[in-house]
């Protein structure tokens, strides 16, 4: 779910080799166009009309003829609350993640009264930061729910932190901090392949 490429470009500027996929052809076309404005982002491998399941199948089909060992980092930021089959996405991510050192980052919103008031009523209907209907509160997931899904997909939690605003986002200024004790609204977790699922060293 790379969308318009905001994270993809940031990672590329830091020196990462980036593959960015999104089911939306239109969004990815816009991302491709914007990436051409900076020499550091022109090498991003954008895939529009493409899913992580297709990416996993592509690598599986070329497994014997490729030296691909897995991705060092996979990011699913603000994605899981918008997909219909989270288990399918996580299973595909599991197959793409480097077994011993790879890390998966997932961010989403918790399904709490506080998140409903701030992320939907406040952000969509009062402040107008997002179009009304952008989020479905029933699709928000708690860290415990995501941990259960991770467990079923062969992944385990490394850590979880809340993404907490330190002051109201006035005039487009967003100041926030990571707080492991407050995951009531936005939160981000890090995950890795389960130890028992990793290849044994010979």
């Amino acid at each position: 779910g790379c969308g318009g490429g905001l994270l993809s470009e940031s990672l590329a500027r830091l020196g990462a080799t980036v593959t960015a996929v999104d089911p939306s052809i239109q969004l990815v076309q816009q991302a491709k166009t914007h990436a051409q404005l900076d020499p550091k982002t022109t090498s991003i491998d954008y895939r529009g009309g493409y899913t992580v399941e297709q990416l996993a199948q592509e690598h599986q089909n070329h497994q014997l003829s490729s030296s691909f060992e897995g991705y060092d980092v996979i990011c699913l930021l603000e994605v899981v609350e918008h997909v219909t089959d989270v288990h399918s996405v996580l299973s595909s991510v599991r197959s793409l993640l480097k077994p011993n050192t790879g890390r998966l980052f997932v961010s989403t919103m918790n399904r709490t009264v506080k998140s409903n008031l701030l992320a939907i009523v406040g952000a969509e209907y009062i402040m107008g930061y997002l179009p009304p209907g952008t989020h479905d509160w029933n699709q928000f997931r708690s860290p415990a729910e995501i941990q259960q899904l991770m467990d079923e997909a062969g992944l385990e939690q490394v850590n979880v932190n809340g993404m907490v605003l330190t002051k109201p986002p006035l005039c487009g200024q967003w100041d926030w901090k990571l707080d492991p004790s407050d995951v009531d609204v936005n939160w981000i977790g890090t995950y890795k392949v389960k130890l028992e699922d990793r290849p044994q060293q010979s």
Side-chain angles (χ1 to χ4, degrees):
C2 66
L6 182 64
L7 176 64
S8 302
E9 289 194 4
S10 297
L11 292 173
R13 290 189 184 101
L14 289 172
T17 301
V18 180
T19 301
V21 304
D22 197 288
S24 172
I25 296 175
Q26 182 179 7
L27 280 176
V28 169
Q29 187 54 54
Q30 293 173 355
K32 285 181 177 180
T33 300
H34 191 269
Q36 298 306 307
L37 302 176
D38 185 342
K40 293 183 179 179
T41 61
T42 56
S43 62
I44 297 174
D45 180 12
Y46 278 114
R47 314 277 188 96
Y50 211 73
T51 66
V52 69
E53 289 94 341
Q54 289 174 290
L55 186 63
Q57 186 62 52
E58 174 187 325
H59 284 293
Q60 183 178 346
N61 291 343
H62 297 88
Q63 192 171 28
L64 295 178
S65 59
S66 172
S67 60
F68 177 76
E69 297 179 357
Y71 288 101
D72 295 298
V73 173
I74 296 178
C75 296
L76 292 176
L77 305 187
E78 311 304 312
V79 170
V80 297
E81 68 268 27
H82 298 292
V83 300
T84 55
D85 191 345
V86 179
H87 182 75
S88 174
V89 170
L90 294 181
S91 295
S92 296
V93 165
R94 158 66 184 83
S95 72
L96 290 167
L97 200 61
K98 191 171 287 186
N100 295 305
T101 58
R103 293 294 182 267
L104 165 65
F105 292 89
V106 173
S107 69
T108 187
M109 282 180 274
N110 204 343
R111 193 172 59 257
T112 61
V113 173
K114 186 176 177 181
S115 71
N116 194 11
L117 291 173
L118 293 178
I120 296 181
V121 176
E124 295 183 14
Y125 291 93
I126 296 177
M127 301 304 294
Y129 293 132
L130 298 166
T134 297
H135 293 107
D136 178 355
W137 182 79
N138 294 299
Q139 294 298 107
F140 291 179
R141 307 271 185 162
S142 70
E145 289 173 320
I146 290 295
Q147 185 173 357
Q148 176 63 36
L149 290 166
M150 293 289 179
D151 186 63
E152 294 170 0
L155 296 157
E156 62 180 313
Q157 180 179 297
V158 177
N159 58 53
V160 166
N161 285 281
M163 300 167 67
V164 183
L165 286 172
T166 56
K167 60 183 179 181
L170 302 176
C171 302
Q173 182 86 23
W174 293 81
D175 292 313
W176 55 274
K177 65 179 181 178
L178 294 177
D179 185 346
S181 66
D182 185 355
V183 294
D184 290 345
V185 186
N186 291 82
W187 63 272
I188 185 167
T190 311
Y191 304 86
K192 62 183 179 181
V193 176
K194 281 184 180 181
L195 181 61
E196 59 267 29
D197 292 339
R198 299 179 205 171
Q200 299 297 315
Q201 299 292 332
S202 56

